[in-house]
Amino acid sequence: MLSRREDFRDILEERRTSSDLSHALKSFTRVSSRASPPCSVSTLNKTVLESQHLHYIMQEVSKDTGEPLEAIREEAAGILEEMSQNLQLGYIRFLGFILSKVFKRLFRKINVNEEGLQRLQQAMQESPVVLMPNHRSYVDFLVLSYLLFTYDLSIPVIAAGIPLMGMQLIGEILRRSGAFFIRRSIGTDKLYWAVLSEYVKTILRKDFAPVEFYVEGLRSRTLKSLPPKLGMMHMVLEPFFKGEVYDISLVPISISYDRVVEESLLAYEILGVPKPKETTMGLLKARKVMDEDYGNMHVCFGHPLSVRDLAKGKVNRKQYNLIPRDLPMKPSESIHAFANTTAHLVLRLQQDNMVLSPWSLMATILMQNLGGINLKLLTKQTVWLKWLVLDFGALVDWPVQVADSEVMSSGLSLHHSVVRCEGDQVLLAEQKPQRGAAPEEAVFRRAVAVLMCASYRNQALHVLASPAMLSVALSLAAASSRADIYNLYAFLREMFYNEFIFIPDRTGQDFEEACSLLQKCGTVQIINQNIMVTDKGLSVTSFLTAAVEPFIDAYQVIFRYICSRSVQEFTEKQFISGIRTFTLNLILTGEVKSYDVLSSETQKNALASLVRLNALTKKKREEQTYFSPNKAAIGRTADILGKKNSKIMCRLGRNSSCCVTEAPVMPVEQDSPAPITFIS
Amino acid sequence: MASSGHGSGRQEAADRRLRLIAGHLHPRIAASECKAEAAESDPVRAKTVPKRRQEVMKWNGWGYSDSRFLFNKKGQAEFTGRRYRLGGLIFPSLKDWFESTFGANLQHKSPPTAALNSSAITPPNLNEPFLQDLKSMGIPHSLEAEDRVFRAHGHCLHEIFALREGRFGRLPDMVVWPNCHDDVVKIVELACQHNACLIPYGGGTSVSSALECPPDEMRSIVSLDTSQMNHILWIDEKNLTAHVEAGIVGQELERLLNESGFCTGHEPDSMEFSTLGGWVATRASGMKKNIYGNIEDLVVHIKMVTPRGVVEKSCQVPRMSTGPDIHHFIMGSEGTLGVVTEVTLKIRPLPEYQKYGSVVFPNFEQGVACLREVAKQRCAPASIRLMDNAQFQFGHALKPQVSSIFTSFLDGLKKFYITKFKGFDTHRLCVATLLFEGDREKVLQHEKQVYDIAAKFGGLAAGEDNGQRGYMLTFVIAYLRDLGMDYYVIGESFETSVPWDRVLDLCRNVKERITRECKERGVQFPPMSTCRVTQTYDAGACVYFYFAFNYRGLADPVHVYEQVEHAAREEILANGGSLSHHHGGMALHDEGSRWGTSAGIWAGARIRF
């Protein structure tokens, strides 16, 4: 983890005082790594096409399809041409100039931890580097190249989705700024996989440039980390396993936004309204977004991870000795587990270095008060939450020497698209449905408002996730014995594995950490293998439980839906449309209050969890994936989760005299009868 | 060594196995007359290594007592003695290279303890009945401390380091000098009879810890010194073979065969001191293996004395297919199965013409590509080696003072041509050294072929001198190690065998690993970590590493050294290399589970005869 007080520096400050043109034209000397002389783009592509690996695959494909080798070779060359970047410093300069203008207009500050950049420079001199940022916005795409250019570091080549390429002109500019394009659904196209993996590996082997890719695979619409995609991960790790490079550095990078440029689209996308196709015209139309204020951006470069160190004792590299290295080889179980754990670790490190805005804390509180909340109370609770997350080790961008009320109003006004104030009350900004519209329309509009707010809550959720799982476990447990609570914690962790990103095989460690966090802030006390909530800690556990409540409710609804269906098998598509109608009815009748259940992300995560827990069986038939439920298992799971509400208030550790630390009590309004209410 | 202290069941099984094997073998020949006892004037008798080796050789370092590197009063390096061509020469650039490579300083000396203090040595644990019987047979022996110390070690770093500090572990309790095969038979029989432990000792150049006496060995340990068994027993000119006693030292074998117009062509770097028996026991490889083959290609017949009798084939033929080849159990057994006493080797007529050569490549990658191509076309000269840049610099530092201004002017011109005109980077270029042998005509033709291939990979011919100096480095490297140890620098070499496509990656990763491990373990100055591709084969190459560092400030330098070496070997295995190509290393394989190689299982299932 980052030392908590690493300084951030605003790079826009200098841009506002000096010429953008001279910045774009500044002398740029790539701080070059080791002795290898730079190679040109054409040499790189030639090396890929002439590689032994590709040769084997082309022969195989030719044998399979019966097409002549020459035709296959041409196809491969075509794939490479479509894919290949064409990094040119001139375009970086051009883009640098434009981006200076754009960024100054969009953002108040772009804060960067310079120590992280120094570490990156060091890492670049020692081994090939893989930059692994989180992905929340299209802005992510170029901000890193812009920063590295500004700081005289090697410009990365960036894995991008092919739709971006389709944008006229822009696609070509991106290509010359180092983007290489990957098709969205590669499936079983052997040749495509081979060209892609050889391309990525050659870049690393030759140390052509740092490789940048999003381990989440996609832009996260929920602003929460997505479960990692392992394809690229395997590609960047393999050169190390095969000894083709001495080591590889993985650099987790955390990009945090006060306000995300595409925020208005997020909720629609989550609700299943397809996202607009990326076109140049679309971009131009998006110009009105340029007139908005998006607050601060933080870019935090984490500590480089040495793959060699990570793999020590976990991966036996000798497994590659008995097969020629150029032959395609299915990754062994240990390799797969390593790639998976490493990807999760990177995600976790990204989360650790995210900078929380005061607004995302407010959104967390608001999500528990969807009916509106008094501004003073919101302020008090937000400040309380700030101390809690600081205790939990989060980085918070809370301005010093500014009154709390000032911070609050600034956050509220920046996010006028999400919240509005009515007198003292803070409410979600919700578009009124047209007169005469169907009741479903009202639900939909409400859902858009809630999910938009939820996205900003999600920015802070990773800090709370593990202690929240513990809190829920405490509320579910029949007794206070550590073993029981641990089992429940482990169960919940499995249940919400994709929702909150836990590192595999670290349940014990995570449990200990969650215990010590809650113990540290006086919420629980641990006596003789018993974990008990203290009197004053109750408000913390209740709050934490409430924070993840919408997810628990959502999963319950999904379980109910699956159990209620009589079919033996369903596809993901059938499931998504079915669950939507099912939920809509429940919301209309007022039976369900969680809107997260409408999120297609949550729906998919729940499916994945059931598969993990063996309550769903996944089968592939004719290019189509089918799920068949084990209803008994799903029922049991639902039962465990369902015990919660009845028990939470009655089990308390009544021994507050032992409490050493004073637990921070969540501020509530004096006359409010039920300060913390559950939404459902 | 095997002993007689086993249960009768195992003994029976062993006897059965022995009878079975004996069925394939020639009945034991009645002992022929010992050549060593014959007249002194025997024409094929080699110059004998004296029984008291310490009289001509260092007891705590490499080679002859009178030959060593030192920094003279002017701070210049020179080589003493008259045995070598280098004797009396000055090496003007060695000091600068030494100081800048290791961060060493001539002011900081770490001299060895001056003399062997015999009184500090534990008295021998004697097996009296064995000793009495030995005496009655008239086989020469010694109980003297100096003789015992000399045979208690090979030339691993930790062994020499301990000697220099005057530390001794478990020593052999006595030394015996058999004069011939029959003496060995008698000694082995006695050892079995009286339960003594035998360790065969040839040239003492082992770098596999095979000569180390097990500290927990309770029996009396007898070092069996083969140095007096050094005759060429016969030469068969029709079949081109020679039958030789196993104690003969490499250089003597070659000198004697040369006198009759023949050679074996087997030239391991240690050939000045290592013996024929040692080569067989460790699966040795010679520099010129491309023409003559490695020891397994050279051997036609082996006679070995084991605790259960003598093992040998009944014929001397080029190939057999009656079961596994018994020779392959013997070669590489490192003295654990028996004592090799006599060997029949292939010999060749002396080559008409010999020529050194060298090629400069702009970088190591190009050089390896060239060697790979040479191997592919199967046109490797007698020897072809590719030194990396650091080793090239090392070799360069060993350039003796030039006597004429003209030569040094020429050197300057060559350097100018290569670096300025051809644009080679002096910190990246590397050198291949070549040795051609054969008919004059064919050598010249061959030479052209190799240089043509080299040119395709950007190689420039760089003259005979550079080539010859490259080979010299390998012969004096052990002397140089002693010099380093006088100034807080310790080092060692190790080698591996690796498929062609992994050569570059293995070299880079192992060197890098060494550098980083040193840093992690508190070595103050970056180590020297260099390699050369020293042999080529159809399917791969042999890579040889030198690794040395300045140990000032380290509490336990040998331990640090061993940890780094262990890490380097682990890296080699992870990169698809073997634990050893020719140094041997049953001791390494004994750690089978630690290394995770199947060789460990092999060594675990010790074969007994």
Side-chain angles (χ1 to χ4, degrees):
Chain A
M1 203 189 278
L2 206 66
S3 86
R4 292 290 86 173
R5 294 287 147 249
E6 228 165 68
D7 287 333
F8 282 90
R9 184 169 160 187
D10 174 21
I11 55 152
L12 290 185
E13 196 179 307
E14 202 186 315
R15 294 274 52 73
R16 295 193 205 278
T17 52
S18 68
S19 152
D20 288 338
L21 191 64
S22 62
H23 169 254
L25 295 178
K26 79 194 180 75
S27 71
F28 176 84
T29 35
R30 171 186 160 182
V31 179
S32 153
S33 42
R34 289 133 292 134
S36 68
C39 89
S40 69
V41 168
S42 59
T43 322
L44 179 75
N45 290 0
K46 196 163 157 247
T47 313
V48 174
L49 278 181
E50 287 171 1
S51 70
Q52 190 69 47
H53 174 67
L54 204 51
H55 182 68
Y56 283 132
I57 299 289
M58 290 191 295
Q59 278 179 329
E60 242 173 66
V61 173
S62 162
K63 228 181 247 165
D64 291 350
T65 59
E67 281 182 59
L69 189 61
E70 211 31 62
I72 305 288
R73 186 169 297 142
E74 257 167 50
E75 198 187 330
I79 293 172
L80 185 63
E81 198 180 324
E82 174 193 89
M83 181 185 302
S84 153
Q85 50 77 30
N86 185 13
L87 184 57
Q88 291 175 9
L89 189 57
Y91 279 81
I92 293 289
R93 291 183 188 285
F94 167 68
L95 212 64
F97 180 74
I98 305 278
L99 288 179
S100 291
K101 302 281 182 214
V102 172
F103 286 156
K104 277 192 288 190
R105 190 135 175 203
L106 291 177
F107 298 104
R108 296 182 201 170
K109 287 177 178 175
I110 296 181
N111 290 319
V112 180
N113 66 331
E114 289 191 323
E115 278 167 66
L117 283 160
Q118 278 160 18
R119 286 190 296 256
L120 177 59
Q121 179 181 352
Q122 183 70 31
M124 282 177 172
Q125 279 160 11
E126 280 168 11
S127 45
V129 165
V130 180
L131 304 174
M132 302 178 71
N134 55 354
H135 197 12
R136 302 287 174 269
S137 163
Y138 284 124
V139 177
D140 299 334
F141 198 78
L142 290 164
V143 74
L144 285 185
S145 302
Y146 181 76
L147 280 173
L148 296 187
F149 172 69
T150 305
Y151 281 89
D152 272 350
L153 295 169
S154 299
I155 309 293
V157 295
I158 313 165
I162 220 143
L164 276 178
M165 187 190 76
M167 299 163 74
Q168 281 173 13
L169 204 66
I170 303 282
E172 196 51 34
I173 292 177
L174 292 181
R175 191 188 288 278
R176 293 186 188 204
S177 314
F180 65 95
F181 297 99
I182 306 176
R183 291 180 194 165
R184 269 282 172 248
S185 45
I186 305 170
T188 52
D189 188 341
K190 236 198 243 173
L191 188 63
Y192 193 88
W193 270 115
V195 175
L196 174 61
S197 72
E198 193 60 28
Y199 186 64
V200 171
K201 286 187 255 181
T202 308
I203 291 172
L204 285 168
R205 277 184 218 130
K206 293 199 161 248
D207 204 10
F208 176 85
V211 172
E212 177 183 330
F213 78 97
Y214 303 109
V215 70
E216 295 165 291
L218 297 164
R219 189 162 54 85
S220 165
R221 272 65 163 165
T222 55
L223 303 190
K224 206 154 51 73
S225 300
L226 299 174
K229 299 273 184 296
L230 299 183
M232 277 290 273
M233 197 71 215
H234 277 290
M235 288 176 212
V236 301
L237 292 176
E238 206 182 83
F240 166 73
F241 294 144
K242 291 192 171 175
E244 293 161 341
V245 295
Y246 182 76
D247 197 358
I248 289 174
S249 292
L250 308 178
V251 184
I253 299 170
S254 317
I255 307 176
S256 329
Y257 297 92
D258 276 3
R259 187 180 170 200
V260 180
V261 176
E262 334 32 16
E263 65 170 19
S264 60
L265 292 177
L266 296 177
Y268 289 96
E269 290 177 281
I270 296 170
L271 286 169
V273 179
K275 79 167 187 175
K277 201 165 172 266
E278 284 111 341
T279 63
T280 311
M281 276 315 285
L283 188 85
L284 291 175
K285 277 186 203 146
R287 266 193 51 206
K288 73 167 192 296
V289 305
M290 298 277 289
D291 300 328
E292 292 275 332
D293 177 2
Y294 293 92
N296 297 341
M297 181 203 299
H298 283 84
V299 183
C300 187
F301 290 83
H303 283 273
L305 300 170
S306 151
V307 173
R308 178 174 277 266
D309 288 349
L310 292 177
K312 211 183 232 166
K314 301 215 177 75
V315 173
N316 184 349
R317 288 184 283 155
K318 288 200 282 278
Q319 63 186 285
Y320 291 97
N321 288 353
L322 298 180
I323 293 178
R325 293 187 299 176
D326 304 311
L327 279 185
M329 187 175 156
K330 225 180 151 222
S332 69
E333 220 151 274
S334 68
I335 297 286
H336 193 79
F338 178 76
N340 189 34
T341 307
T342 305
H344 279 88
L345 176 68
V346 168
L347 285 177
R348 167 71 67 86
L349 293 169
Q350 286 174 357
Q351 293 179 338
D352 282 347
N353 288 340
M354 295 287 281
V355 176
L356 305 189
S357 64
W359 162 246
S360 63
L361 302 180
M362 280 183 240
T364 309
I365 303 287
L366 275 169
M367 282 301 289
Q368 300 187 22
N369 299 275
L370 286 173
I373 183 173
N374 177 284
L375 177 59
K376 278 206 187 107
L377 183 59
L378 176 63
T379 310
K380 272 192 204 162
Q381 293 195 348
T382 305
V383 172
W384 173 84
L385 180 55
K386 176 186 76 170
W387 291 115
L388 187 71
V389 297
L390 284 175
D391 264 1
F392 287 174
L395 293 166
V396 181
D397 182 32
W398 195 284
V400 282
Q401 290 169 340
V402 178
D404 289 341
S405 59
E406 195 87 349
V407 176
M408 293 297 287
S409 62
S410 141
L412 290 173
S413 71
L414 187 64
H415 292 277
H416 57 86
S417 52
V418 185
V419 282
R420 64 193 166 86
C421 293
E422 220 168 71
D424 279 351
Q425 284 295 103
V426 180
L427 300 160
L428 289 191
E430 195 178 335
Q431 281 184 325
K432 287 273 167 285
Q434 284 164 339
R435 211 181 301 217
E440 288 86 357
E441 175 71 14
V443 174
F444 184 72
R445 284 180 192 274
R446 175 72 176 161
V448 168
V450 174
L451 288 180
M452 214 153 135
C453 186
S455 296
Y456 286 106
R457 166 207 62 191
N458 287 348
Q459 283 185 323
L461 206 54
H462 58 89
V463 181
L464 308 174
S466 185
M469 292 296 107
L470 179 57
S471 299
V472 176
L474 283 164
S475 76
L476 292 179
S480 57
S481 95
R482 190 193 180 91
D484 282 359
I485 293 166
Y486 174 78
N487 286 339
L488 276 166
Y489 174 88
F491 162 77
L492 289 165
R493 196 177 177 277
E494 283 297 295
M495 186 85 261
F496 295 106
Y497 180 80
N498 284 346
E499 207 70 61
F500 303 128
I501 310 300
F502 294 103
I503 302 176
D505 311 323
R506 276 217 203 171
T507 315
Q509 208 175 322
D510 283 350
F511 179 71
E512 292 304 321
E513 267 174 36
C515 284
S516 83
L517 284 181
L518 288 189
Q519 203 178 10
K520 205 175 73 187
C521 66
T523 303
V524 298
Q525 46 181 315
I526 302 172
I527 303 163
N528 300 332
Q529 298 298 308
N530 283 309
I531 306 176
M532 286 163 296
V533 182
T534 61
D535 280 355
K536 293 179 175 176
L538 189 60
S539 67
V540 175
T541 52
S542 309
F543 165 78
L544 289 172
T545 309
V548 293
E549 187 90 38
F551 295 98
I552 298 177
D553 290 348
Y555 277 46
Q556 289 285 44
V557 172
I558 291 166
F559 298 161
R560 245 176 86 185
Y561 165 69
I562 295 177
C563 289
S564 72
R565 287 185 45 133
S566 54
V567 290
Q568 285 304 308
E569 253 184 6
F570 54 86
T571 64
E572 189 179 288
K573 220 172 163 187
Q574 289 166 343
F575 165 73
I576 298 238
S577 71
I579 184 83
R580 191 173 296 152
T581 331
F582 183 76
T583 318
L584 212 57
N585 287 328
L586 287 180
I587 291 178
L588 279 173
T589 60
E591 205 176 324
V592 167
K593 295 209 167 63
S594 161
Y595 285 86
D596 280 274
V597 69
L598 283 173
S599 153
S600 54
E601 296 293 321
T602 307
Q603 292 158 1
K604 283 179 207 160
N605 286 338
L607 270 196
S609 279
L610 288 177
V611 172
R612 275 177 67 79
L613 294 169
N614 294 322
L616 270 188
T617 325
K618 204 166 152 179
K619 270 185 226 123
K620 254 200 167 146
R621 239 181 17 241
E622 295 145 20
E623 300 286 307
Q624 185 64 272
T625 311
Y626 296 92
F627 297 91
S628 46
N630 173 350
K631 288 185 184 166
I634 297 177
R636 277 197 299 277
T637 309
D639 281 350
I640 303 178
L641 279 181
K643 276 190 216 148
K644 169 186 46 83
N645 297 344
S646 54
K647 304 215 62 176
I648 185 147
M649 306 304 280
C650 57
R651 249 191 1 76
L652 299 173
R654 286 284 167 207
N655 202 359
S656 58
S657 58
C658 295
C659 179
V660 189
T661 330
E662 196 70 354
V665 177
M666 190 182 195
V668 290
E669 245 173 342
Q670 236 83 76
D671 51 358
S672 163
I676 292 139
T677 48
F678 295 114
I679 297 151
S680 57
Chain B
M1 277 305 292
S3 74
S4 56
H6 296 290
S8 60
R10 275 176 75 181
Q11 202 152 344
E12 265 173 39
D15 286 345
R16 256 200 318 278
R17 204 150 53 213
L18 178 64
R19 276 197 302 280
L20 201 71
I21 292 164
H24 300 294
L25 304 174
H26 195 65
R28 250 180 68 190
I29 313 161
S32 58
E33 184 193 2
C34 270
K35 286 269 182 174
E37 288 158 4
E40 282 291 309
S41 59
D42 188 329
V44 281
R45 159 134 217 184
K47 239 187 267 166
T48 309
V49 175
K51 286 179 187 153
R52 293 179 57 80
R53 297 191 191 199
Q54 56 273 28
E55 280 168 3
V56 286
M57 291 165 75
K58 298 191 192 81
W59 67 276
N60 61 354
W62 180 263
Y64 300 109
S65 305
D66 55 8
S67 305
R68 58 187 293 249
F69 280 100
L70 53 79
F71 287 114
N72 63 25
K73 292 207 177 71
K74 286 192 228 156
Q76 286 173 316
E78 66 176 81
F79 194 74
T80 63
R82 301 234 153 271
R83 288 178 194 269
Y84 296 88
R85 275 172 56 200
L86 297 176
L89 288 185
I90 301 282
F91 306 90
S93 36
L94 191 60
K95 172 176 173 275
D96 284 347
W97 174 85
F98 182 71
E99 290 188 333
S100 62
T101 305
F102 297 108
N105 187 320
L106 296 198
Q107 309 305 316
H108 300 145
K109 291 201 70 173
S110 51
T113 46
L116 177 58
N117 179 6
S118 309
S119 59
I121 287 157
T122 28
N125 160 30
L126 291 181
N127 182 325
E128 283 301 336
F130 176 85
L131 187 57
Q132 289 315 317
D133 283 359
L134 194 74
K135 275 181 182 161
S136 70
M137 286 173 181
I139 296 172
H141 69 274
S142 162
L143 306 176
E144 272 178 51
E146 288 188 4
D147 291 327
R148 290 165 54 214
V149 167
F150 201 98
R151 287 159 187 83
H153 64 85
H155 280 268
C156 293
L157 175 75
H158 67 271
E159 293 171 321
I160 300 298
F161 197 87
L163 285 178
R164 286 172 63 96
E165 291 197 327
R167 287 186 285 116
F168 310 103
R170 175 80 158 97
L171 304 180
D173 298 298
M174 62 182 291
V175 182
V176 295
W177 285 275
N179 279 311
C180 59
H181 170 80
D182 282 351
D183 283 357
V184 176
V185 172
K186 287 177 201 159
I187 293 167
V188 171
E189 272 170 6
L190 278 188
C192 289
Q193 191 184 334
H194 300 299
N195 196 20
C197 168
L198 287 182
I199 297 181
Y201 183 91
T205 57
S206 159
V207 282
S208 60
S209 300
L211 291 173
E212 248 176 48
C213 300
D216 52 356
E217 178 57 69
M218 301 302 289
R219 295 171 295 174
S220 179
I221 299 177
V222 180
S223 178
L224 189 154
D225 185 324
T226 60
S227 61
Q228 308 308 304
M229 299 164 51
N230 59 356
H231 303 80
I232 295 179
L233 297 177
W234 45 255
I235 292 175
D236 179 346
E237 299 199 6
K238 284 189 179 153
N239 293 306
L240 285 178
T241 54
H243 191 67
V244 189
E245 288 184 312
I248 196 165
V249 167
Q251 59 172 330
E252 280 306 306
L253 174 62
E254 230 38 31
R255 188 180 61 80
L256 291 175
L257 286 175
N258 290 177
E259 280 172 9
S260 328
F262 296 103
C263 68
T264 64
H266 185 70
E267 295 183 12
D269 292 349
S270 61
M271 70 176 287
E272 281 178 282
F273 305 105
S274 57
T275 61
L276 173 57
W279 300 338
V280 170
T282 58
R283 287 185 71 87
S285 167
M287 174 182 111
K288 298 194 288 195
K289 73 96 191 152
N290 291 338
I291 293 183
Y292 301 96
N294 289 318
I295 196 72
E296 66 272 22
D297 310 309
L298 285 164
V299 161
V300 175
H301 184 263
I302 301 172
K303 199 190 265 187
M304 179 169 80
V305 181
T306 80
R308 300 282 178 273
V310 176
V311 176
E312 62 178 327
K313 291 184 185 176
S314 63
C315 51
Q316 312 208 56
V317 293
R319 188 171 191 275
M320 288 162 75
S321 74
T322 42
D325 191 339
I326 200 80
H327 288 173
H328 286 281
F329 288 103
I330 298 170
M331 285 187 290
S333 63
E334 294 183 23
T336 55
L337 301 180
V339 185
V340 175
T341 53
E342 287 170 17
V343 179
T344 307
L345 283 171
K346 295 183 200 166
I347 55 172
R348 299 287 306 161
L350 269 177
E352 179 195 324
Y353 187 63
Q354 215 182 30
K355 193 175 182 191
Y356 286 97
S358 66
V359 180
V360 191
F361 291 97
N363 56 48
F364 193 63
E365 290 78 3
Q366 305 263 70
V368 170
C370 171
L371 261 63
R372 205 280 161 265
E373 184 60 30
V374 167
K376 200 186 254 173
Q377 298 193 18
R378 290 199 171 162
C379 63
S383 168
I384 176 164
R385 288 174 169 178
L386 179 76
M387 302 190 282
D388 70 358
N389 184 267
Q391 203 160 126
F392 160 73
Q393 310 266 5
F394 187 5
H396 219 67
L398 283 175
K399 222 169 180 175
Q401 196 160 33
V402 276
S403 36
S404 88
I405 296 174
F406 184 66
T407 354
S408 85
F409 173 71
L410 261 184
D411 282 348
L413 265 189
K414 272 186 230 157
K415 190 176 170 191
F416 178 81
Y417 175 73
I418 286 176
T419 60
K420 294 292 182 307
F421 191 74
K422 283 288 177 181
F424 284 22
D425 177 351
T426 41
H427 296 288
R428 287 177 58 76
L429 65 80
C430 70
V431 176
T433 59
L434 309 166
L435 174 62
F436 297 91
E437 243 183 51
D439 299 347
R440 195 189 157 83
E441 196 86 333
K442 278 187 188 150
V443 162
L444 295 177
Q445 215 179 341
H446 194 174
E447 196 187 15
K448 185 175 179 307
Q449 188 187 5
V450 172
Y451 282 119
D452 283 351
I453 294 174
K456 280 189 206 144
F457 295 89
L460 296 173
E464 288 183 64
D465 272 8
N466 276 320
Q468 207 165 358
R469 206 168 30 250
Y471 290 101
M472 183 190 78
L473 177 65
T474 63
F475 281 95
V476 299
I477 188 76
Y479 284 110
L480 280 165
R481 178 168 85 173
D482 286 345
L483 176 73
M485 286 173 102
D486 288 340
Y487 296 91
Y488 286 98
V489 172
I490 51 176
E492 180 85 277
S493 60
F494 52 91
E495 32 72 57
T496 183
S497 183
V498 59
W500 275 115
D501 71 320
R502 295 172 201 249
V503 169
L504 277 177
D505 292 330
L506 181 134
C507 290
R508 179 194 56 242
N509 292 349
V510 171
K511 287 195 284 183
E512 182 79 35
R513 178 79 182 260
I514 288 172
T515 307
R516 297 203 190 189
E517 292 282 339
C518 280
K519 198 174 165 194
E520 265 172 43
R521 295 175 201 288
V523 177
Q524 306 285 320
F525 208 81
M528 173 174 84
S529 168
T530 153
C531 71
R532 66 168 181 267
V533 179
T534 204
Q535 286 292 3
T536 63
Y537 292 87
D538 287 348
C542 166
V543 181
Y544 204 97
F545 292 92
Y546 289 141
F547 146 48
F549 62 88
N550 182 338
Y551 69 85
R552 265 170 71 83
L554 294 181
D556 189 350
V558 172
H559 182 62
V560 170
Y561 166 78
E562 280 169 353
Q563 284 178 313
V564 177
E565 195 200 271
H566 180 82
R569 288 196 193 277
E570 187 186 81
E571 193 62 34
I572 285 177
L573 293 179
N575 283 274
S578 65
L579 277 183
S580 175
H581 168 264
H582 61 269
H583 278 177
M586 295 266 283
L588 291 174
H589 291 183
D590 271 347
E591 301 174 77
S593 56
R594 199 173 119 197
W595 289 113
T597 61
S598 52
I601 300 162
W602 188 210
R606 288 275 166 84
I607 301 147
R608 290 187 186 278
F609 293 95

